[in-house]
Amino acid sequence: MAKFTRKNAWNNNGTFENPDLLWYAKGVQVMQSLPISDPTSWWFYAAIHGQYLKNEITDPRYLYLNWKNIAYISGAAQINKLPPTKLTDLFWDQCQHATWFFLPWHRGYLVALENILRDIIVNKLKGPADWTLPYWNYLKQASQYNIPPAFTTWRLPDNTVNPLFVAERYGQKVDVGNGENEANDLCQWDTIFNEGASVAPLSAGNVTGYFYGGGETGFQHQDGSETGDLEESPHNAVHGAVGGLSNKQQNGLMGVPNTAALDPIFYLHHANIDRMWTAWNQTGKNKNPTDPNWLAGPSANGNSRFAMSLDAKGTPWYYTCEDMLSTIGLKYNGALYSYTYDDLSLVSYNSTRPAQLAVSLMERIINLGVKMPEIGIQMSNKRNSELVGASRGSITLKGSEANTSVKLNTTSWKSVSNSLIEASFSNLPDEVYLELEGVKGGSDANFLSVYVNEKFVKSVSLFGLLGASMKNTAHGGNGLNFKFNITNIVDDMHLKGKINVDSLNVQIKTKHALADDDGITIDRIGVYRVGQ
């Protein structure tokens, strides 16, 4: 069994002197010469992730995202001649987001595309038999935050049009760090894949709010609120940064799920996400779920099976999460397939656990004034969530920010106060998180930054916002939900004697100012306690 090695796209300075990029471009060029009716064409494969072709947008503000209006899609695609319905029903609009299926689905997607491209490169173009899909590690170092130059030049070395260049890509680099509107790899310090794997509180093994791999859902295309930490950042953040906004405030292709896979940089981005998951398993020695409902995939509950097209006839390859557990010996089309990465470092830009993540549950309790016991922490088998405060109505962002006050329920908030006052190693203090519920709009390439009582909490990408806001989707236009752990802010309030308050001030800012005819609405801001 051959074992392939995926390499960094920035080798040879990210130019076409990197043979992995040159052969990628040539392979993409062949796939793009095929009509969308061919299940091995670039356009068909992009539609597997999602499309605005059969399900067109009708809102006049976003018509530019309908595929018939996208200049990057060449005439060779023949998008007016769609594949048979049996093929589009089976394959199209399958990407998994805001779910614990996010990582295994995309691993299979990359494997399928990589094998189609390798077949073209080897058998049609007489290229190297060991070609693999390169990855773009935008977290590696400052010189690699930018998109590799092979994606920004108009021509290939043979002077033909470069298929990797996308005019509707308005971002050119990724901002990296732990501050506002930045991508990071804090998720790599998580130790728990999904919530059901542990009864631990939010901060234990769960760095940024919803565990590493996402919430336990069924088949979930785009919409949802149970986004895992790796998906939230760097995944979503990079989509927003690379898609960017034009001077007309239009989203770039990478910024919107149903156009993202049209951009060739998409697959290098997802190769890096897959690399990070591999490193989390192998270098970090963290475990994937063993739950049968995850291993079998959505079909365990009667939902759609994961399926990729293998050939021009549309022969399906069906796979499960269990088939995708490891990059070594994964099950592809009835055989074993193996690949690895040339860099499996757990983290890229900061090899030291950031100080703000270093406070363990034990340290937190000691900071609250509790003496170290002679025995270990006694943790309850069940932790309950309760709404303790909410905004009085919906919030609308116009321009670039909004301020609101979240009223706290006196009785419920007293439970939080008492848990901090009475905290001990046998009586764990509550944790508190804030949730933006029903966030709607069309500014997918934008970011929201949240502040509580003038303290910065976190930034999140709005990738997927438009799809989640459209009423003709599976979730009925309910929008996106975002969770923010604000336990450290509440602890600080307690230590400063300010815990008994009537409300919290919440400020929300956007990275890019919103267009005059566009806005972002939030149905409700909720504050929740999680305790025993």
Side-chain angles (χ1 to χ4, degrees), residues 366-388:
I366 292 173
N367 288 342
L368 291 173
V370 180
K371 294 182 178 180
M372 174 73 74
E374 295 181 0
I375 59 174
I377 297 176
Q378 301 298 310
M379 191 172 291
S380 167
N381 287 329
K382 185 176 182 181
R383 290 176 63 81
N384 300 308
S385 177
E386 178 189 4
L387 180 70
V388 297

PDB file of all heavy atoms in Angstrom, residues 366-388:
ATOM      1  N   ILE A 366      -8.582  27.886  43.308  1.00  0.00           N
ATOM      2  CA  ILE A 366      -7.619  28.486  44.238  1.00  0.00           C
ATOM      3  C   ILE A 366      -7.633  30.004  44.097  1.00  0.00           C
ATOM      4  O   ILE A 366      -7.584  30.738  45.085  1.00  0.00           O
ATOM      5  CB  ILE A 366      -6.216  27.914  43.981  1.00  0.00           C
ATOM      6  CG1 ILE A 366      -6.173  26.435  44.386  1.00  0.00           C
ATOM      7  CG2 ILE A 366      -5.156  28.703  44.755  1.00  0.00           C
ATOM      8  CD1 ILE A 366      -4.899  25.737  44.018  1.00  0.00           C
ATOM      9  N   ASN A 367      -7.744  30.496  42.854  1.00  0.00           N
ATOM     10  CA  ASN A 367      -7.823  31.948  42.632  1.00  0.00           C
ATOM     11  C   ASN A 367      -9.052  32.555  43.307  1.00  0.00           C
ATOM     12  O   ASN A 367      -9.045  33.736  43.656  1.00  0.00           O
ATOM     13  CB  ASN A 367      -7.865  32.251  41.131  1.00  0.00           C
ATOM     14  CG  ASN A 367      -6.534  32.006  40.454  1.00  0.00           C
ATOM     15  OD1 ASN A 367      -5.493  31.935  41.111  1.00  0.00           O
ATOM     16  ND2 ASN A 367      -6.557  31.869  39.134  1.00  0.00           N
ATOM     17  N   LEU A 368     -10.100  31.734  43.449  1.00  0.00           N
ATOM     18  CA  LEU A 368     -11.318  32.217  44.105  1.00  0.00           C
ATOM     19  C   LEU A 368     -11.207  32.183  45.623  1.00  0.00           C
ATOM     20  O   LEU A 368     -12.158  32.524  46.328  1.00  0.00           O
ATOM     21  CB  LEU A 368     -12.527  31.384  43.649  1.00  0.00           C
ATOM     22  CG  LEU A 368     -12.963  31.578  42.193  1.00  0.00           C
ATOM     23  CD1 LEU A 368     -14.048  30.574  41.815  1.00  0.00           C
ATOM     24  CD2 LEU A 368     -13.450  33.005  41.936  1.00  0.00           C
ATOM     25  N   GLY A 369     -10.043  31.765  46.121  1.00  0.00           N
ATOM     26  CA  GLY A 369      -9.788  31.816  47.560  1.00  0.00           C
ATOM     27  C   GLY A 369      -9.969  30.513  48.292  1.00  0.00           C
ATOM     28  O   GLY A 369     -10.017  30.495  49.533  1.00  0.00           O
ATOM     29  N   VAL A 370     -10.075  29.415  47.581  1.00  0.00           N
ATOM     30  CA  VAL A 370     -10.270  28.110  48.210  1.00  0.00           C
ATOM     31  C   VAL A 370      -8.910  27.448  48.449  1.00  0.00           C
ATOM     32  O   VAL A 370      -8.049  27.449  47.572  1.00  0.00           O
ATOM     33  CB  VAL A 370     -11.145  27.194  47.326  1.00  0.00           C
ATOM     34  CG1 VAL A 370     -11.341  25.836  47.981  1.00  0.00           C
ATOM     35  CG2 VAL A 370     -12.481  27.870  47.061  1.00  0.00           C
ATOM     36  N   LYS A 371      -8.712  26.881  49.624  1.00  0.00           N
ATOM     37  CA  LYS A 371      -7.452  26.233  49.940  1.00  0.00           C
ATOM     38  C   LYS A 371      -7.365  24.863  49.271  1.00  0.00           C
ATOM     39  O   LYS A 371      -8.366  24.187  49.080  1.00  0.00           O
ATOM     40  CB  LYS A 371      -7.302  26.080  51.451  1.00  0.00           C
ATOM     41  CG  LYS A 371      -7.164  27.411  52.190  1.00  0.00           C
ATOM     42  CD  LYS A 371      -6.960  27.178  53.671  1.00  0.00           C
ATOM     43  CE  LYS A 371      -6.779  28.520  54.402  1.00  0.00           C
ATOM     44  NZ  LYS A 371      -6.590  28.297  55.859  1.00  0.00           N
ATOM     45  N   MET A 372      -6.147  24.485  48.956  1.00  0.00           N
ATOM     46  CA  MET A 372      -5.896  23.199  48.330  1.00  0.00           C
ATOM     47  C   MET A 372      -6.305  22.066  49.263  1.00  0.00           C
ATOM     48  O   MET A 372      -5.897  22.013  50.411  1.00  0.00           O
ATOM     49  CB  MET A 372      -4.410  23.061  48.000  1.00  0.00           C
ATOM     50  CG  MET A 372      -4.018  21.698  47.462  1.00  0.00           C
ATOM     51  SD  MET A 372      -4.569  21.422  45.786  1.00  0.00           S
ATOM     52  CE  MET A 372      -3.413  22.458  44.915  1.00  0.00           C
ATOM     53  N   PRO A 373      -7.147  21.133  48.784  1.00  0.00           N
ATOM     54  CA  PRO A 373      -7.573  20.012  49.636  1.00  0.00           C
ATOM     55  C   PRO A 373      -6.555  18.866  49.585  1.00  0.00           C
ATOM     56  O   PRO A 373      -5.648  18.861  48.758  1.00  0.00           O
ATOM     57  CB  PRO A 373      -8.878  19.580  48.975  1.00  0.00           C
ATOM     58  CG  PRO A 373      -8.616  19.835  47.514  1.00  0.00           C
ATOM     59  CD  PRO A 373      -7.763  21.071  47.457  1.00  0.00           C
ATOM     60  N   GLU A 374      -6.738  17.929  50.471  1.00  0.00           N
ATOM     61  CA  GLU A 374      -5.867  16.756  50.475  1.00  0.00           C
ATOM     62  C   GLU A 374      -6.336  15.715  49.474  1.00  0.00           C
ATOM     63  O   GLU A 374      -5.596  14.813  49.105  1.00  0.00           O
ATOM     64  CB  GLU A 374      -5.826  16.135  51.872  1.00  0.00           C
ATOM     65  CG  GLU A 374      -5.196  17.060  52.913  1.00  0.00           C
ATOM     66  CD  GLU A 374      -5.134  16.418  54.287  1.00  0.00           C
ATOM     67  OE1 GLU A 374      -5.581  15.263  54.405  1.00  0.00           O
ATOM     68  OE2 GLU A 374      -4.633  17.058  55.216  1.00  0.00           O
ATOM     69  N   ILE A 375      -7.574  15.835  49.030  1.00  0.00           N
ATOM     70  CA  ILE A 375      -8.107  14.889  48.041  1.00  0.00           C
ATOM     71  C   ILE A 375      -8.373  15.622  46.737  1.00  0.00           C
ATOM     72  O   ILE A 375      -8.361  16.853  46.682  1.00  0.00           O
ATOM     73  CB  ILE A 375      -9.412  14.228  48.547  1.00  0.00           C
ATOM     74  CG1 ILE A 375     -10.475  15.300  48.837  1.00  0.00           C
ATOM     75  CG2 ILE A 375      -9.146  13.398  49.787  1.00  0.00           C
ATOM     76  CD1 ILE A 375     -11.828  14.723  49.190  1.00  0.00           C
ATOM     77  N   GLY A 376      -8.606  14.883  45.674  1.00  0.00           N
ATOM     78  CA  GLY A 376      -8.806  15.475  44.361  1.00  0.00           C
ATOM     79  C   GLY A 376     -10.169  16.118  44.202  1.00  0.00           C
ATOM     80  O   GLY A 376     -11.018  16.075  45.102  1.00  0.00           O
ATOM     81  N   ILE A 377     -10.382  16.718  43.059  1.00  0.00           N
ATOM     82  CA  ILE A 377     -11.650  17.371  42.746  1.00  0.00           C
ATOM     83  C   ILE A 377     -12.746  16.333  42.587  1.00  0.00           C
ATOM     84  O   ILE A 377     -12.584  15.333  41.902  1.00  0.00           O
ATOM     85  CB  ILE A 377     -11.531  18.191  41.450  1.00  0.00           C
ATOM     86  CG1 ILE A 377     -10.503  19.315  41.639  1.00  0.00           C
ATOM     87  CG2 ILE A 377     -12.861  18.767  41.026  1.00  0.00           C
ATOM     88  CD1 ILE A 377     -10.248  20.117  40.379  1.00  0.00           C
ATOM     89  N   GLN A 378     -13.864  16.580  43.226  1.00  0.00           N
ATOM     90  CA  GLN A 378     -15.031  15.714  43.092  1.00  0.00           C
ATOM     91  C   GLN A 378     -15.977  16.334  42.074  1.00  0.00           C
ATOM     92  O   GLN A 378     -16.574  17.374  42.329  1.00  0.00           O
ATOM     93  CB  GLN A 378     -15.736  15.552  44.452  1.00  0.00           C
ATOM     94  CG  GLN A 378     -14.843  14.972  45.540  1.00  0.00           C
ATOM     95  CD  GLN A 378     -14.372  13.577  45.193  1.00  0.00           C
ATOM     96  OE1 GLN A 378     -15.166  12.716  44.826  1.00  0.00           O
ATOM     97  NE2 GLN A 378     -13.074  13.346  45.304  1.00  0.00           N
ATOM     98  N   MET A 379     -16.082  15.714  40.921  1.00  0.00           N
ATOM     99  CA  MET A 379     -16.872  16.295  39.841  1.00  0.00           C
ATOM    100  C   MET A 379     -18.207  15.576  39.676  1.00  0.00           C
ATOM    101  O   MET A 379     -18.260  14.347  39.684  1.00  0.00           O
ATOM    102  CB  MET A 379     -16.092  16.227  38.530  1.00  0.00           C
ATOM    103  CG  MET A 379     -16.707  17.043  37.416  1.00  0.00           C
ATOM    104  SD  MET A 379     -15.619  17.106  35.985  1.00  0.00           S
ATOM    105  CE  MET A 379     -14.293  18.123  36.639  1.00  0.00           C
ATOM    106  N   SER A 380     -19.248  16.360  39.537  1.00  0.00           N
ATOM    107  CA  SER A 380     -20.570  15.785  39.336  1.00  0.00           C
ATOM    108  C   SER A 380     -20.646  15.097  37.975  1.00  0.00           C
ATOM    109  O   SER A 380     -19.956  15.460  37.030  1.00  0.00           O
ATOM    110  CB  SER A 380     -21.626  16.898  39.403  1.00  0.00           C
ATOM    111  OG  SER A 380     -22.865  16.447  38.930  1.00  0.00           O
ATOM    112  N   ASN A 381     -21.506  14.079  37.872  1.00  0.00           N
ATOM    113  CA  ASN A 381     -21.705  13.398  36.606  1.00  0.00           C
ATOM    114  C   ASN A 381     -22.603  14.180  35.667  1.00  0.00           C
ATOM    115  O   ASN A 381     -22.762  13.821  34.517  1.00  0.00           O
ATOM    116  CB  ASN A 381     -22.312  12.007  36.839  1.00  0.00           C
ATOM    117  CG  ASN A 381     -21.304  11.048  37.414  1.00  0.00           C
ATOM    118  OD1 ASN A 381     -20.122  11.149  37.137  1.00  0.00           O
ATOM    119  ND2 ASN A 381     -21.772  10.127  38.231  1.00  0.00           N
ATOM    120  N   LYS A 382     -23.191  15.249  36.160  1.00  0.00           N
ATOM    121  CA  LYS A 382     -24.101  16.017  35.322  1.00  0.00           C
ATOM    122  C   LYS A 382     -23.964  17.493  35.630  1.00  0.00           C
ATOM    123  O   LYS A 382     -23.933  17.899  36.785  1.00  0.00           O
ATOM    124  CB  LYS A 382     -25.552  15.567  35.550  1.00  0.00           C
ATOM    125  CG  LYS A 382     -26.552  16.233  34.615  1.00  0.00           C
ATOM    126  CD  LYS A 382     -27.952  15.682  34.831  1.00  0.00           C
ATOM    127  CE  LYS A 382     -28.943  16.303  33.866  1.00  0.00           C
ATOM    128  NZ  LYS A 382     -30.321  15.797  34.069  1.00  0.00           N
ATOM    129  N   ARG A 383     -23.866  18.298  34.599  1.00  0.00           N
ATOM    130  CA  ARG A 383     -23.810  19.749  34.764  1.00  0.00           C
ATOM    131  C   ARG A 383     -24.960  20.350  33.981  1.00  0.00           C
ATOM    132  O   ARG A 383     -25.162  20.056  32.805  1.00  0.00           O
ATOM    133  CB  ARG A 383     -22.459  20.295  34.291  1.00  0.00           C
ATOM    134  CG  ARG A 383     -21.327  19.877  35.223  1.00  0.00           C
ATOM    135  CD  ARG A 383     -19.979  20.328  34.720  1.00  0.00           C
ATOM    136  NE  ARG A 383     -19.841  21.768  34.647  1.00  0.00           N
ATOM    137  CZ  ARG A 383     -19.549  22.559  35.686  1.00  0.00           C
ATOM    138  NH1 ARG A 383     -19.406  22.039  36.893  1.00  0.00           N
ATOM    139  NH2 ARG A 383     -19.422  23.859  35.532  1.00  0.00           N
ATOM    140  N   ASN A 384     -25.741  21.187  34.636  1.00  0.00           N
ATOM    141  CA  ASN A 384     -26.968  21.722  34.057  1.00  0.00           C
ATOM    142  C   ASN A 384     -26.761  23.145  33.558  1.00  0.00           C
ATOM    143  O   ASN A 384     -25.996  23.919  34.128  1.00  0.00           O
ATOM    144  CB  ASN A 384     -28.081  21.704  35.118  1.00  0.00           C
ATOM    145  CG  ASN A 384     -28.363  20.303  35.614  1.00  0.00           C
ATOM    146  OD1 ASN A 384     -28.581  19.400  34.825  1.00  0.00           O
ATOM    147  ND2 ASN A 384     -28.340  20.115  36.936  1.00  0.00           N
ATOM    148  N   SER A 385     -27.484  23.481  32.501  1.00  0.00           N
ATOM    149  CA  SER A 385     -27.430  24.818  31.938  1.00  0.00           C
ATOM    150  C   SER A 385     -28.740  25.542  32.237  1.00  0.00           C
ATOM    151  O   SER A 385     -29.823  24.958  32.123  1.00  0.00           O
ATOM    152  CB  SER A 385     -27.200  24.734  30.429  1.00  0.00           C
ATOM    153  OG  SER A 385     -27.214  26.015  29.848  1.00  0.00           O
ATOM    154  N   GLU A 386     -28.639  26.819  32.612  1.00  0.00           N
ATOM    155  CA  GLU A 386     -29.833  27.607  32.944  1.00  0.00           C
ATOM    156  C   GLU A 386     -29.664  29.029  32.412  1.00  0.00           C
ATOM    157  O   GLU A 386     -28.605  29.649  32.579  1.00  0.00           O
ATOM    158  CB  GLU A 386     -30.031  27.656  34.460  1.00  0.00           C
ATOM    159  CG  GLU A 386     -31.222  28.509  34.891  1.00  0.00           C
ATOM    160  CD  GLU A 386     -31.279  28.728  36.398  1.00  0.00           C
ATOM    161  OE1 GLU A 386     -30.351  28.282  37.104  1.00  0.00           O
ATOM    162  OE2 GLU A 386     -32.249  29.370  36.865  1.00  0.00           O
ATOM    163  N   LEU A 387     -30.713  29.547  31.769  1.00  0.00           N
ATOM    164  CA  LEU A 387     -30.707  30.934  31.314  1.00  0.00           C
ATOM    165  C   LEU A 387     -30.808  31.853  32.527  1.00  0.00           C
ATOM    166  O   LEU A 387     -31.733  31.726  33.333  1.00  0.00           O
ATOM    167  CB  LEU A 387     -31.884  31.178  30.371  1.00  0.00           C
ATOM    168  CG  LEU A 387     -32.015  32.595  29.798  1.00  0.00           C
ATOM    169  CD1 LEU A 387     -30.902  32.882  28.807  1.00  0.00           C
ATOM    170  CD2 LEU A 387     -33.382  32.759  29.108  1.00  0.00           C
ATOM    171  N   VAL A 388     -29.868  32.792  32.657  1.00  0.00           N
ATOM    172  CA  VAL A 388     -29.879  33.696  33.807  1.00  0.00           C
ATOM    173  C   VAL A 388     -30.063  35.152  33.405  1.00  0.00           C
ATOM    174  O   VAL A 388     -30.149  36.027  34.255  1.00  0.00           O
ATOM    175  CB  VAL A 388     -28.592  33.544  34.649  1.00  0.00           C
ATOM    176  CG1 VAL A 388     -28.492  32.145  35.228  1.00  0.00           C
ATOM    177  CG2 VAL A 388     -27.356  33.874  33.828  1.00  0.00           C
TER     178      VAL A 388
END
